[in-house]
Amino acid sequence: MDGLLLLEQTFNGLQFGVMLFLMAAGLTLVFGIMDMVNLAHGSLYMVGAYIATTFTQWTGSFVLGILLAVPATALVGIAVEVVVLRTLYDRDHLDQVLATFGLILFFNELVRTVWGPAALFSDIPAFLQGQVEIIPGVPYPAYRLAIIGVGLAVALALYLIVSRTRMGMLIRAGASNREMAGALGVNIKLLFTLVFGLGAAFAGLAGMMTGPITTVEPGMGDPILILAFVVIIIGGIGSVRGAFVAAILVGLVDTIGRAFLPQFFRLFVADSTADAVGPAVASMLIYILMAAVLFFRPQGLFPARTG
Amino acid sequence: MTEPVLAVEGLVKRFGGLTATDDLSLSVTAGEIHAVIGPNGAGKTTLIAQLSGDLAPDDGRIRFAGRDITGLRADERSHLGLARSFQITSIFPGFPALDNVALAVQAHAGHSFRFWSPARRDAGLREPAMAALDEVGLAARAGIVAANLSHGEQRQLEIAMALATKPSLLLLDEPMAGMGIDESARMIDLLRGLKGRHTIVLIEHDMDAVFALADRITVLVYGRAIATGTPAEIRANAEVRQAYLGDAHVG
Amino acid sequence: MKKKLVGLVSALALLATPSLAADKVKVGFIVTLSGPAGIIGKHMKDGFELGLEHVGGKIGGLETEVIFGDDQRKPDVAKQLVDKMIKRDRVQFVTGVIWSNLMMAIHGPVTRSDTFLISSNAGPSPIAGKRCSENFFSVSWQNDQTPEAMGKYLQDKGIDNVYLMAPNYQAGKDMLAGVRRYYKGKVAGQVFTKLGQQDYSAELSTLRAAGPDAVFVFLPGGMGINFVKQYAQAGLKDSIPLYTAFTADAVTLPAQKDAALGVLGTQTWSPDLANPVNKRFVADFRAKHGYIPSFYAAQAYDTVRFLDAAVAKVGNVSDRDALRAAMRAGDFPNTRGSIKFNNNHFPIQNFYMREVVKQDDGSFTTKIRGIVFPAYGDSYAKDCKMSW
Amino acid sequence: MQALRQPRLLAQLILLLLLAAVPPVMTAIDEPFYTSLFTRIMIFAIAAASLDLILGYGGMVSFGHAAYIGVGAYTVGILSFYGVDNGFIQFPLAVLLSAVFAAVIGAICIRTSGVYFIMITLAFAQMLYFLGISLEEYGGDDGMPVYRSEFGGLLDLYDANHLYYLVFAVLAATLYFGHRLVNSRFGMVVRGMKSNSLRMRAVGYPVYWYRLTAYVISGTMCGVAGALFANWSEFVSPDIMHWVRSGDLIIMVIVGGMGTLFGPVLGATAFLLMEEYLPEILEGTAPGAGEHWHFVFGPILILIVLFAKGGIFGLFGGRERGDD
């Protein structure tokens, strides 16, 4: 019984992890290649969720809604890159932090003004409702399985892009040594814009997929942004592989911690103390994980930069 | 025979599959200018970094002033009398030249956990710093913000910062890199003036400078020392000629 | 630079318009308006404004000025707002206040000054007990009462083996303690989740494995939307009944919809309460603002009616003792029918069981299913030394 | 008085004098609110100036400095909870505890640099935040009321003017100490490490210990700001340790002008006055517009970054000499 629960919780952690990966992938690419701290990445997650919800309502089809919303979010990302972020590449990180923090405020307020302050209704499409028995006795929501599937597919696609295409070659070159990428004589400006659009599309996709299970509301991207930063720091900035490993790690640690820490503490201390300590430690767990990783590996698990 | 100032034994440094320093041994005696030359990628800067303590070797020992310093940090080595300059100019660009050198003096004038008295009005720091600037010929430029100095002056400033720590051994990583002919000549004069008073390990691409200054030369190829000797011996060494030096260069 | 600051100082001096007109009613209204958490504040502001409309824009028939303040959900910003309202605007009443921690931050400073503090929502236990004040009134409820009503309901119905869940913060702990004060059956499990948590998959898996007969959750706002949707998506809604407090209301229902259908929760108010004040309030609110009011809106509305009744009875706002006596009398027109005040100035009122239903127009609302506690006072009143 | 020969220093002194004049002026025009407002502004100015010591001068971007405000505030709060209201006990203990926290956290964080440093400081601040939430005895998330400190009859902090001048004195002391510090031997080391820490190591500085010391000094001064904050707000709650608060401090520093002492003071003033008056101004243009003030505030931040390099202080040509 406990084994089955552990398995189910592992699926939960995996699902959370792939979601985080979608967020972190774009963030780590933008950070690694352009050396750009983009706090507004969470806003793209939110914008993606809002656009997808709206398109779904218009078209009546969840799939169509997402198919339309992914390029739309990419376009929003590209617009942000061209209008604001492009001028910030040669600034130091603090200027970038401040300006993109301004963008967060702006986007939260924009969404609130356009769609209203109330949370939007967003539901799982009919064909993904219900449960699937992953193994006999463990029913699991079909939609969450779909998230895992989409997430892994995107991870695989990204892996193929990075390792097999010319753009991927440039991305890798850029992440490890920016001057070199410039020296290769490619149109860096265009590359940056494309990468940013790609990152925005991933973040938007994460928001779209999460929308039906959580809340589509102003500011929904802020908490997930911090988590995504934790992921790319643990993974090593600029490393897509690191982001994937770290996202799954954070997903599993957070989920398993929430599920089992209170019981674990009950083995040692009184129930009431365990009830107080368990959730508190569970909330801190990923931060403790990050601090521990950085203690032993100050550049994260997979440092991408060589120079 | 007196013990060498610096003795390197069996030094090894690997980066992934690449062996940047390959079982390298070297000894530098007091008062000499010991040049290390080699083609690009021979591992010269990697060697300097290990000598100065910025990079930890994978194997081997470094002895300096009679003790094993292999496990010491860069700042600890500095306090034993080791000073370095960097291949890519490494100064404090926002500070005036004098402040750059004063910071180096300060590092060797007791601890710096002093939070109250203005450092810029501390004669105990300013005077030695001025002296070091004078020694490299920058006294007149003391008040200029380092970023605004010419490239050649910045290289001189680096030497002044190294001298200000009162080192017994100077590690100079291509002090003439990027310099024009006039600037190079001035630097050669400067280094010649230091000769005898300081022991120097000199990495340099400018062969004229090397052969004009060096007492002994070590030739690195792929991280290995293929020869060590006086300039004349190195000129005559067939292996060196074949591996590295073109006849035209040696002249 | 000097010139700049001198300019600033004189500008500040100009901003200050000292007005000591004693018979002008000045009310400060503090809620969270800006930023992502602004939705509840909007409900309350809309309710408050409708209340003003219903009293003809004049509280107690006197000229009235309302100063709206946005606390950004930060305690120190709230504290600064009340400083400004009391010292600069010289209000006689500070009202509103959504969050318990903000209430804790301003309770002392306001009640120590010659200003009345009227809570339109927050009701943390310290200010209901030992720290009760004669300058404070609540027209909402004490935090523990709603879960206590739920605990009593579960106990009375003989429901056993209940699984309890709340966020890991003070209100969450108070809520579960409140349920357990009346519910004496078996607890299948008790879980404290992260504040602001978005995904409850881990908790739902653990919950399912524990096999409870019923589930009680307190997950306000966005957390409630997340949980209720995920509870339904996990297929648990049809097998294990869900009991709630502050988890399914007019703020969250538009985003929960069918997932919340049939969910039960205790509350002091519901849109379908059949008293004339409430009927008018709900009808006018929907007409004016275009959405179904929440209890937040109703309480903000009642705040205006409460002030209006007291000021009208006294005829001025300078006789504070008379005002206090008038307020203590209770029995002002309000959306809940009848409100009396306990010795600690918290209401004694009915607590109802409400169920989420779907209306003919496709919208979702709550309907009263019965009274759990008639005329119920809170359990901290006995710690309050005040008597009158 | 060599200060009088330097116009920038003179301007700062004048600003301080103007701040000193706030309470009597406000009392005279019967507007005590502004005394309270400027008390809060000065408290955040102290915290921002402390942060700037390591951020602007030392190049260490701490994204968790609000945690030390929390440590200082909770020291006062918890002592007050147990009936110890004596400021002569509370404040030294606040200093000591924030120093201890900063030393332990710093010892781990200083090992990293750049963005990794930003995130690890955030991580520790988040841990303290969640710790605060789980402190049930002290109100958890709801926080707890605090009685203002007593100073053996010397000061009555319930008198707004006394509190104001206490905060003012601490601010002035912070700025003066900061001024001495950044120009001292230690300060030169800190600034040198920001400019080129590899070079600092090469000339013989054990960089780690100097960075750690700077971090501890900065955290401790923030802790003092926290102790004052608890007195001003008569309340402590974990909210003050939320990561957004750490972000606010960074914004104050950058907006005001980093790597200067007075910049953060101007930044805190601008930030908090904007927060206070932007909604009012917008509300004046259209009813209901006030709650959308972020719409204007966000782009203002972006514009400051794009066009006002060096922050507000930079606009006055007030960039201090001798940094990168």
Side-chain angles (χ1 to χ4, degrees), chain C residues 1-2 4-6 8-9 12-13 15-18 20 33-36 38 42 45 70 72-77 79-81 83-85 87-90 100-102 104-106 108-109 112 124 131 143 168-171 173-174 194-195, chain D residues 11 14-15 18-19 25-26 29-34 36-38 40 44 129-130 133-134 136 139-145 147-148 158 160 229 232-235 237 239-240 244-245 248 266 273 275-277 280 283 288 291 293-294 313 316:
Chain C
M1 213 185 302
K2 176 188 173 188
K4 195 122 183 149
L5 200 82
V6 173
L8 182 67
V9 169
L12 295 181
L15 279 172
T17 41
L20 291 167
L33 287 170
S34 67
K42 179 177 161 47
K45 192 178 175 205
D70 170 22
Q72 302 179 46
R73 207 176 172 172
K74 292 176 178 172
D76 53 319
V77 173
K79 146 91 176 154
Q80 182 170 296
L81 274 175
D83 264 356
K84 179 165 70 175
M85 288 173 173
K87 291 174 179 167
R88 191 185 81 180
D89 303 320
R90 298 187 162 81
S100 291
N101 59 334
L102 269 59
M104 292 297 287
I106 66 169
R112 268 199 303 276
R131 286 177 183 270
N143 286 356
N168 185 38
Y169 73 131
Q170 205 51 38
K173 290 169 184 169
D174 291 348
K194 208 185 294 182
L195 188 57
Chain D
I14 291 172
L15 269 177
L18 282 176
L19 273 179
V25 170
M26 294 309 158
I29 62 170
D30 195 22
E31 281 299 344
F33 163 65
Y34 297 102
S36 166
L37 174 64
F38 274 92
R40 175 162 171 262
F44 278 101
Y129 171 71
F130 284 116
I133 284 182
S134 61
E136 209 167 339
D141 183 61
D142 280 355
M144 61 176 165
Y147 293 109
R148 286 184 175 164
Y158 281 97
F229 181 80
W232 174 81
S233 59
E234 302 170 68
F235 178 75
S237 79
D239 176 78
I240 191 58
V244 168
R245 295 315 192 93
D248 287 350
L266 295 175
L273 285 183
E275 180 184 273
E276 182 70 30
Y277 289 106
E280 269 185 34
E283 193 71 34
E291 63 193 69
W293 64 281
H294 281 174
F313 205 59
F316 292 104

Side-chain angles (χ1 to χ4, degrees), chain B:
Chain B
M1 188 180 147
T2 55
E3 193 185 2
V5 174
L6 180 76
V8 177
E9 292 153 23
L11 208 62
V12 177
K13 181 70 196 175
R14 293 183 202 90
F15 294 109
L18 181 84
T19 306
T21 308
D22 189 0
D23 193 20
L24 185 133
S25 295
L26 182 75
S27 82
V28 179
T29 47
E32 74 168 343
I33 293 186
H34 192 125
V36 178
I37 61 173
N40 277 327
K44 301 185 297 286
T45 294
T46 307
L47 172 63
I48 287 277
Q50 291 173 84
L51 296 180
S52 66
D54 293 319
L55 206 59
D58 295 322
D59 200 7
R61 309 236 63 82
I62 303 169
R63 290 181 65 79
F64 173 65
R67 58 180 285 194
D68 187 337
I69 61 163
T70 318
L72 295 187
R73 296 190 311 264
D75 55 285
E76 293 169 320
R77 296 184 196 196
S78 167
H79 282 275
L80 292 176
L82 222 153
R84 74 171 290 192
S85 74
F86 290 81
Q87 182 183 4
I88 297 163
T89 309
S90 180
I91 53 177
F92 306 107
F95 286 133
L98 185 59
D99 280 357
N100 273 266
V101 187
L103 260 175
V105 174
Q106 186 186 323
H108 294 261
H111 66 79
S112 288
F113 292 102
R114 298 182 192 178
F115 306 100
W116 201 252
S117 311
R120 284 191 172 115
R121 267 181 270 146
D122 191 334
L125 301 178
R126 304 311 260 189
E127 283 164 13
M130 204 63 206
L133 276 181
D134 198 30
E135 190 164 5
V136 302
L138 278 182
R141 308 283 280 163
I144 309 290
V145 171
N148 299 337
L149 294 174
S150 73
H151 175 72
E153 288 172 329
Q154 291 182 350
R155 306 298 300 185
Q156 286 165 265
L157 181 60
E158 274 226 45
I159 307 285
M161 289 166 76
L163 289 177
T165 65
K166 302 243 175 303
S168 49
L169 176 65
L170 275 167
L171 305 172
L172 304 182
D173 193 354
E174 298 196 26
M176 274 152 269
M179 283 187 167
I181 298 169
D182 290 350
E183 288 176 328
S184 288
R186 214 177 309 144
M187 182 61 78
I188 290 173
D189 282 346
L190 168 59
L191 295 183
R192 191 174 284 132
L194 299 176
K195 195 169 177 174
R197 287 185 290 152
H198 296 275
T199 312
I200 297 174
V201 173
L202 174 70
I203 288 180
E204 193 44 68
H205 265 299
D206 183 335
M207 285 308 136
D208 294 334
V210 168
F211 283 97
L213 290 168
D215 298 305
R216 284 201 300 158
I217 297 173
T218 294
V219 183
L220 282 195
V221 176
Y222 295 123
R224 288 176 54 240
I226 58 166
T228 297
T230 63
E233 287 166 359
I234 292 299
R235 268 202 191 87
N237 187 308
E239 198 183 348
V240 173
R241 299 176 81 101
Q242 190 187 352
Y244 170 51
L245 295 170
D247 283 332
H249 263 98
V250 182

Side-chain angles (χ1 to χ4, degrees), chain A residues 152-232:
Chain A
L152 291 179
V154 169
L156 183 67
L158 188 59
Y159 170 76
L160 291 177
I161 290 176
V162 171
S163 62
R164 299 285 162 82
T165 65
R166 179 170 157 75
M167 184 174 166
M169 196 258 305
L170 294 173
I171 287 175
R172 273 178 294 142
S176 61
N177 189 328
R178 232 164 344 138
E179 285 74 22
M180 195 176 103
L184 290 175
V186 291
N187 185 341
I188 287 291
K189 248 187 175 171
L190 186 64
L191 176 74
F192 281 12
T193 307
L194 287 179
V195 169
F196 200 88
L198 189 70
F202 286 154
L205 182 62
M208 295 163 205
M209 298 295 291
T210 319
I213 52 174
T214 62
T215 317
V216 180
E217 60 183 350
M220 65 184 280
D222 302 353
I224 200 92
L225 170 78
I226 293 288
L227 286 180
F229 264 103
V230 169
V231 165
I232 70 167

Side-chain angles (χ1 to χ4, degrees), chain C residues 27-359:
Chain C
V27 182
F29 182 74
I30 295 178
V31 286
T32 309
L33 287 170
S34 67
I39 177 70
I40 295 174
K42 179 177 161 47
H43 276 231
M44 290 183 69
K45 192 178 175 205
D46 287 349
F48 198 88
E49 282 176 339
L50 183 65
L52 283 173
E53 210 173 289
H54 282 185
V55 301
K58 294 187 164 200
I59 286 175
L62 300 176
E63 194 191 334
T64 298
E65 185 186 346
V66 177
I67 295 113
F68 290 98
D70 170 22
D71 59 39
Q72 302 179 46
R73 207 176 172 172
K74 292 176 178 172
D76 53 319
V77 173
K79 146 91 176 154
Q80 182 170 296
L81 274 175
V82 302
D83 264 356
K84 179 165 70 175
M85 288 173 173
I86 293 169
K87 291 174 179 167
R88 191 185 81 180
D89 303 320
R90 298 187 162 81
V91 300
Q92 298 98 8
F93 308 95
V94 172
T95 65
V97 191
I98 302 172
W99 316 104
S100 291
N101 59 334
L102 269 59
M103 177 56 82
M104 292 297 287
I106 66 169
H107 180 265
V110 179
T111 55
R112 268 199 303 276
S113 72
D114 284 337
T115 314
F116 286 109
L117 176 60
I118 319 292
S119 171
S120 310
N121 192 58
S125 55
I127 63 168
K130 284 197 185 98
R131 286 177 183 270
C132 68
S133 161
E134 58 173 17
N135 289 337
F136 171 88
F137 283 86
S138 162
V139 292
S140 53
W141 23 262
Q142 198 281 316
N143 286 356
D144 293 31
Q145 289 180 291
T146 307
E148 280 167 3
M150 184 51 85
K152 175 148 193 315
Y153 177 85
L154 295 172
Q155 183 71 16
D156 290 353
K157 288 274 171 190
I159 296 164
D160 198 26
N161 202 26
V162 178
Y163 196 87
L164 306 170
M165 192 183 295
N168 185 38
Y169 73 131
Q170 205 51 38
K173 290 169 184 169
D174 291 348
M175 287 288 156
L176 296 198
V179 170
R180 296 181 77 166
R181 206 165 288 143
Y182 284 83
Y183 170 71
K184 298 298 173 194
K186 185 168 174 277
V187 172
Q190 174 167 309
V191 172
F192 290 104
T193 61
K194 208 185 294 182
L195 188 57
Q197 189 165 316
Q198 295 187 318
D199 189 357
Y200 292 88
S201 58
E203 288 75 9
L204 288 172
S205 294
T206 311
L207 185 158
R208 188 203 306 273
D213 295 332
V215 174
F216 168 81
V217 297
F218 161 68
L219 292 164
M223 292 184 281
I225 299 177
N226 299 334
F227 180 84
V228 168
K229 280 165 80 175
Q230 292 166 26
Y231 192 76
Q233 287 161 8
L236 290 165
K237 191 162 87 85
D238 302 325
S239 50
I240 312 170
L242 182 60
Y243 300 91
T244 65
F246 305 109
T247 304
D249 51 49
V251 173
T252 61
L253 280 175
Q256 290 165 327
K257 293 199 174 174
D258 288 291
L261 198 61
V263 166
L264 293 167
T266 41
Q267 196 76 282
T268 57
W269 176 88
S270 182
D272 64 322
L273 265 181
N275 66 67
V277 179
N278 194 45
K279 279 183 174 159
R280 182 180 173 213
F281 163 71
V282 174
D284 288 0
F285 191 97
R286 286 199 74 168
K288 180 172 174 165
H289 299 297
Y291 62 95
I292 301 172
S294 60
F295 65 91
Y296 300 107
Q299 287 159 192
Y301 175 87
D302 287 346
T303 305
V304 179
R305 304 301 299 261
F306 170 71
L307 293 178
D308 180 61
V311 175
K313 197 184 274 181
V314 177
N316 66 59
V317 282
S318 46
D319 188 347
R320 297 176 43 78
D321 291 333
L323 275 174
R324 188 178 298 111
M327 288 195 272
R328 280 172 171 169
D331 270 341
F332 54 98
N334 68 75
T335 59
R336 281 162 273 179
S338 164
I339 291 178
K340 298 240 177 284
F341 284 101
N342 216 333
N343 69 312
N344 62 352
H345 291 181
F346 272 81
I348 298 173
Q349 59 191 330
N350 294 343
F351 281 79
Y352 304 97
M353 178 57 69
R354 338 187 285 184
E355 182 182 346
V356 175
V357 297
K358 190 173 187 174
Q359 303 190 108

Side-chain angles (χ1 to χ4, degrees), chain D residues 175-234:
Chain D
L175 292 177
Y176 184 63
F177 175 67
H179 173 71
R180 301 296 305 213
L181 187 81
V182 298
N183 291 303
S184 71
R185 286 192 178 200
F186 181 78
M188 295 304 286
V189 174
V190 170
R191 292 152 79 171
M193 289 186 303
K194 179 195 181 187
S195 176
N196 189 344
S197 69
L198 188 64
R199 181 33 112 180
M200 289 300 279
R201 215 168 272 134
V203 295
Y205 291 102
V207 165
Y208 178 88
W209 295 107
Y210 287 100
R211 278 164 60 105
L212 180 58
T213 307
Y215 184 83
V216 171
I217 290 173
S218 167
T220 307
M221 286 159 61
C222 241
V224 176
L228 292 170
F229 181 80
N231 271 290
W232 174 81
S233 59
E234 302 170 68

